[in-house]
Amino acid sequence: MLKNPASKYAAFPAISLPDRQWPGKTITRAPIWMSTDLRDGNQALFEPMDIAKKLRMFEMLCAVGLKQIELAFPSASQTEFDFVRRLIDENRIPADVTIEVLTQARDPLIERTFESLRGVRRAIVHVYNAAAPVFRRTVFGVDRAGCIEIAVNAARKIQQLAAAQPETEWTFQYSPEVFSSTELDFALEISEAVADVWQPTRERPMILNLPATVEGATPNVYADQIEWMSRNLKRRDAILISVHPHNDRGTAVAAAELALMAGADRVEGCLFGNGERTGNVDLVTLALNLYTQGIDPGLDFSDINTVARVIEDCTQLPIHPRHPYVGDLVFTAFSGSHQDAIKKGFAVQQADSLWEVPYMPIDPHDLGRSYASVIRVNSQSGKGGIAWLLESAYGLSLPRRMQVEFSGEVQKVMDELGAEMEAADLWALFERNYLNADKPLRLLDHRLDESRERHGITLEVDWAGEHRSLTGTGNGPLAAALAAIGVDAAIHSFEEHSLGSGSGAQAVAFVEITVPGRPGTLFGAGCSTSIVEASLRALVSALNRSGATAG
């Protein structure tokens, strides 16, 4: 690193706004939310989602209450185009949801975009071109007038094509890309030029998206930029100001909140902050920040674990265990003083009073998380070494949420013993609680039938002393086994790994399930030289531990 960074990097100039109003404002209502998970979040992936994963993601976004969802860049690839068409042709878009698509300011791409939207009930067409000086100079080789001409020509083309499809209710959106690094007077000039073409009204407003495409300054500077634009737009009452903060400096959430204080009406981002480079603003964190201030965010994260698992599965990106509100360890106390304060807070907390538990800004129950599985209140700190001891001594790598669950079992024993437990003691406890959880249901043998598209399975079991043969089908061995057993439970997650090396190495599998009427999730574990058998034993272990097999 340079001793004199100023020789290479220039500080962002302050905005001349001496009478700025936003520092005295308070956010009192939720903004319009717009998810870019399926487009901006998708194009940031090492392996972009296929249509099946996109459909699953879309359904989840609708389920949590998002009313504006950017689907794709339909002119970019056939997969993107086909996804938009499938949603429209199969009538999968809820009546209260508006889809959005993105296009560059080029005629062939705009035409392809409108082709993808033919027959849609309602849509937002979002066009952009880069307006920042370095892009005008280095990337596109145009001056200010040339940059405006690109934007205006695209606006006219969009207006023309929309008029040819009058059965659709259109909303137009323009972004001067890299707004946060664009001269404010020019950002205003190019935005006004586009508005002059579209002629928005209070009844039919346009969306002006002002993205921090690359976060280059402190959040207060972005707020100044938003307030300056809001105060200087000629048609402010006919324009919805949208913000799209990226997280290059790690302050996207703060930038979005200050932008709302500065007059923004709408926020674009991704659940849990996925997106290019360091990601987009995290809509979950923003929404729950409002919730903890007594404001209804208009989004439902009362089953946040399921939302997180869908996002992880579709994107193949893990959520950090310290991620606000959703991380596996965000409600976990390892420090003895923290644990003591939390215990005392729970002891006096009344169900119908304001939430005032120390170190916990939100009640985990509001997010569908149980106290028992996510809050570790030990007599001492440092018990997070449980998982490390098991892995270092036995090669057993527990899933994160299972670490929290098992630590509760460890704590019960420690409270009785009043002493530390060695690795061998932990392994014995793990065997007793998980690997040997074979009552009342015990797996004796299994046979798989993979000749059809759906897996078939026959299980030979001892169920409360009675030998039974159970059969079932499903998308995989675990789903088929659960169907065969016939209890009311759902598989939440599955993981497996080897406990050694070589052809005779044991595999250990972990199955996480949910059972109606029981808060949170619960794990089971199984070992075998066969991965399939290990996974079946883990499922049986989880079902026995939940009590689902006792009926």
Side-chain angles (χ1 to χ4, degrees):
M1 295 177 65
L2 301 174
K3 295 296 184 183
N4 179 25
S7 66
K8 187 173 183 178
Y9 302 101
F12 199 95
I15 306 300
S16 179
L17 197 67
D19 60 340
R20 59 181 57 85
Q21 300 299 305
W22 65 261
K25 298 292 180 63
T26 301
I27 302 173
T28 58
R29 60 183 175 85
I32 300 167
W33 304 109
M34 207 286 288
S35 160
T36 65
D37 290 88
L38 289 166
R39 193 274 304 171
D40 199 17
N42 181 50
Q43 70 187 23
L45 302 177
F46 181 73
E47 293 184 11
M49 288 179 271
D50 58 21
I51 288 182
K53 285 184 176 178
K54 276 177 164 280
L55 287 172
R56 185 182 178 201
M57 175 88 74
F58 178 74
E59 291 169 356
M60 185 271 291
L61 295 172
C62 293
V64 300
L66 284 150
K67 304 303 181 188
Q68 294 187 6
I69 301 172
E70 189 175 58
L71 296 182
F73 204 139
S75 63
S77 75
Q78 191 63 44
T79 299
E80 299 284 278
F81 184 96
D82 290 345
F83 175 58
V84 177
R85 288 308 320 160
R86 183 162 177 181
L87 288 180
I88 297 170
D89 293 338
E90 297 181 2
N91 196 29
R92 289 175 175 263
I93 304 169
D96 61 348
V97 171
T98 302
I99 63 167
E100 176 173 318
V101 293
L102 183 69
T103 179
Q104 290 176 323
R106 294 166 54 192
D107 282 4
L109 304 184
I110 295 171
E111 291 166 359
R112 179 70 167 164
T113 299
F114 271 87
E115 183 183 345
S116 76
L117 293 170
R118 189 166 298 279
V120 71
R121 179 174 52 249
R122 186 173 57 249
I124 299 168
V125 178
H126 179 190
V127 65
Y128 72 95
N129 67 312
V134 67
F135 282 81
R136 298 195 309 260
R137 181 178 63 250
T138 305
V139 180
F140 299 108
V142 296
D143 57 12
R144 284 189 173 197
C147 190
I148 291 174
E149 183 180 6
I150 292 171
V152 167
N153 288 342
R156 288 175 179 151
K157 185 68 172 180
I158 287 171
Q159 191 174 50
Q160 170 196 339
L161 293 175
Q165 298 184 40
E167 70 281 2
T168 296
E169 180 185 330
W170 298 105
T171 297
F172 302 150
Q173 175 172 332
Y174 173 67
S175 290
E177 194 193 11
V178 206
F179 161 79
S180 55
S181 300
T182 301
E183 312 95 318
L184 278 176
D185 66 316
F186 182 61
L188 179 64
E189 183 181 2
I190 195 170
S191 300
E192 294 283 21
V194 171
D196 287 342
V197 174
W198 286 341
Q199 292 291 311
T201 64
R202 185 190 295 268
E203 294 71 31
R204 298 286 301 263
M206 65 173 275
I207 299 170
L208 177 61
N209 188 51
L210 302 175
T213 309
V214 179
E215 189 179 37
T218 49
N220 62 296
V221 173
Y222 189 51
D224 281 350
Q225 292 173 317
I226 299 303
E227 181 171 332
W228 190 94
M229 288 290 289
S230 182
R231 288 163 60 170
N232 284 280
L233 285 165
K234 291 185 299 186
R235 299 177 179 84
R236 180 62 181 94
D237 64 344
I239 293 175
L240 294 172
I241 291 182
S242 177
V243 293
H244 184 118
H246 277 254
N247 200 41
D248 301 89
R249 293 171 55 92
T251 57
V253 168
E257 291 181 326
L258 298 190
L260 291 174
M261 293 161 59
D265 306 296
R266 179 177 184 262
V267 177
E268 296 188 354
C270 293
L271 303 191
F272 311 121
N274 187 26
E276 294 283 7
R277 305 184 312 279
T278 54
N280 298 317
V281 68
D282 178 353
L283 297 188
V284 176
T285 297
L286 275 174
L288 293 178
N289 283 355
L290 291 178
Y291 183 81
T292 63
Q293 301 303 300
I295 300 169
D296 179 5
L299 299 178
D300 182 4
F301 295 117
S302 58
D303 187 5
I304 202 167
N305 287 344
T306 295
V307 175
R309 301 296 82 79
V310 171
I311 293 290
E312 287 184 322
D313 185 55
C314 289
T315 65
Q316 295 300 295
L317 294 175
I319 294 173
H320 195 281
R322 300 294 183 188
H323 195 105
Y325 300 110
V326 71
D328 291 334
L329 298 178
V330 295
F331 299 121
T332 302
F334 291 101
S335 162
S337 61
H338 289 196
Q339 295 160 359
D340 182 63
I342 291 170
K343 282 195 296 184
K344 291 175 179 175
F346 272 123
V348 301
Q349 179 66 39
Q350 300 296 314
D352 57 351
S353 61
L354 288 175
W355 180 255
E356 292 185 312
V357 175
Y359 298 111
M360 302 185 71
I362 193 171
D363 184 349
H365 271 184
D366 291 356
L367 306 180
R369 302 182 68 167
S370 85
Y371 301 139
S373 64
V374 299
I375 302 172
R376 293 173 57 180
V377 181
N378 307 337
S379 59
Q380 307 173 43
S381 62
K383 301 305 182 293
I386 293 169
W388 181 85
L389 282 172
L390 285 173
E391 184 166 6
S392 61
Y394 294 95
L396 185 68
S397 180
L398 299 180
R400 288 199 305 265
R401 289 184 298 283
M402 193 176 188
Q403 293 175 24
V404 178
E405 180 182 295
F406 183 51
S407 71
E409 302 296 330
V410 173
Q411 184 58 42
K412 293 176 185 176
V413 175
M414 290 177 60
D415 287 342
E416 294 174 1
L417 297 176
E420 288 287 333
M421 295 178 67
E422 302 293 336
D425 302 318
L426 294 173
W427 176 256
L429 184 62
F430 179 79
E431 280 188 311
R432 184 165 71 248
N433 277 272
Y434 295 93
L435 300 180
N436 298 334
D438 59 356
K439 288 183 175 59
L441 182 64
R442 182 163 61 94
L443 179 67
L444 302 175
D445 198 2
H446 74 277
R447 295 186 300 279
L448 280 177
D449 178 8
E450 300 178 78
S451 59
R452 295 168 294 175
E453 182 177 345
R454 289 172 63 82
H455 286 70
I457 198 167
T458 299
L459 302 178
E460 301 295 331
V461 302
D462 181 315
W463 201 330
E466 178 185 350
H467 182 274
R468 299 187 192 179
S469 293
L470 310 174
T471 61
T473 61
N475 293 331
L478 283 178
L482 189 59
I485 296 168
V487 298
D488 194 6
I491 297 171
H492 204 57
S493 70
F494 167 75
E495 293 184 30
E496 61 85 23
H497 68 83
S498 173
L499 285 179
S501 59
S503 58
Q506 290 266 310
V508 61
F510 310 100
V511 171
E512 183 183 20
I513 65 168
T514 57
V515 176
R518 186 187 188 282
T521 63
L522 187 137
F523 279 86
C527 275
S528 174
T529 54
S530 161
I531 292 175
V532 172
E533 183 172 338
S535 64
L536 294 175
R537 291 187 181 280
L539 175 62
V540 169
S541 166
L543 294 173
N544 284 330
R545 295 186 69 244
S546 73
T549 57

